[in-house]
Amino acid sequence: MDYLNDFTKELIATGVLLILVILSRLIVSKVVRSFAKRSQTIEKRTRLVLKYIHLLMNILAVIALIIIWGVQTKDIFFVLSSFTTIVGVAMFAQWSILSNITSGIILFFSFPYKIGDNIIIHDKDFPIQAEIEDIGAFHVYLKTKEGEIIVYPNNLMLQIGITILKQPEEEMEFTD
């Protein structure tokens, strides 16, 4: 019981933080799902983006817990410097993966194309005309008229010019 008296403020702050994290995760999930529904985004992509956002929120919650419980600065510095060194080496080695994940999140919220669209990728060395089959966390899957499946990195979808070909008249939707 003496432990509870000594750390009452920290326990209350931890409880409030946990409630805030749960509520914010629910609100963010609702907002992202609403956006995905309005933009007709596939559920698989929505879950993937939510996973990344929840991971970021969890990291921030852990940082807040460290602050609440008053971990010594020298201990935090030692852990962060070790962690940063490891992550820095890993990210340098895997920079393209990080770039594709970030691009995947950006494309989720501002992707002007959707699955089923026919596009032309204006790559001067290897132009591609294909239909978008799937949009993943790292790659966009394209299917050419010849039936080839091309896996195209998300970060290049943001860097290279792309033309969306018009849909045939019978497939186009008109709203009043």
Side-chain angles (χ1 to χ4, degrees):
M1 203 58 161
D2 191 38
Y3 179 78
L4 290 177
N5 291 335
D6 292 342
F7 297 104
T8 304
K9 290 180 186 176
E10 289 85 357
L11 290 171
I12 291 171
T14 300
V16 169
L17 176 67
L18 291 176
I19 290 169
L20 286 175
V21 168
I22 291 169
L23 287 175
S24 62
R25 284 178 62 132
L26 290 173
I27 291 169
V28 166
S29 294
K30 231 177 197 184
V31 168
V32 170
R33 288 187 191 283
S34 172
F35 176 83
K37 188 174 184 179
R38 278 182 289 158
S39 63
Q40 300 175 349
T41 305
I42 294 180
E43 179 64 24
K44 184 172 82 172
R45 285 189 43 79
T46 304
R47 285 192 310 263
L48 189 64
V49 167
L50 281 173
K51 184 169 67 171
Y52 294 147
I53 293 172
H54 289 166
L55 177 64
L56 175 64
M57 292 172 76
N58 290 339
I59 290 170
L60 293 174
V62 168
I63 292 169
L65 282 174
I66 289 170
I67 293 169
I68 288 170
W69 284 93
V71 178
Q72 296 295 320
T73 309
K74 63 179 181 175
D75 296 336
I76 293 173
F77 180 73
F78 176 73
V79 170
L80 285 179
S81 64
S82 301
F83 180 74
T84 305
T85 303
I86 292 169
V87 169
V89 170
M91 289 303 163
F92 181 75
Q94 299 299 328
W95 183 253
S96 65
I97 291 175
L98 180 63
S99 173
N100 282 320
I101 290 173
T102 305
S103 298
I105 292 173
I106 292 169
L107 292 176
F108 176 80
F109 287 107
S110 65
F111 204 53
Y113 336 104
K114 59 183 181 276
I115 292 175
D117 282 352
N118 287 307
I119 62 171
I120 297 174
I121 299 175
H122 301 286
D123 185 352
K124 73 175 186 178
D125 296 328
F126 188 62
I128 299 170
Q129 181 173 347
E131 178 182 339
I132 298 176
E133 288 284 309
D134 192 16
I135 303 168
F138 300 101
H139 304 93
V140 174
Y141 297 88
L142 306 168
K143 185 174 185 179
T144 64
K145 290 180 183 178
E146 294 79 27
E148 295 175 311
I149 299 293
I150 298 172
V151 181
Y152 207 76
N154 284 341
N155 61 347
L156 292 181
M157 293 295 284
L158 291 176
Q159 296 173 8
I160 294 178
I162 296 175
T163 300
I164 302 172
L165 300 175
K166 281 191 169 183
Q167 298 289 337
E169 292 293 324
E170 63 271 6
E171 292 181 17
M172 292 181 72
E173 293 182 25
F174 295 97
T175 57
D176 295 327

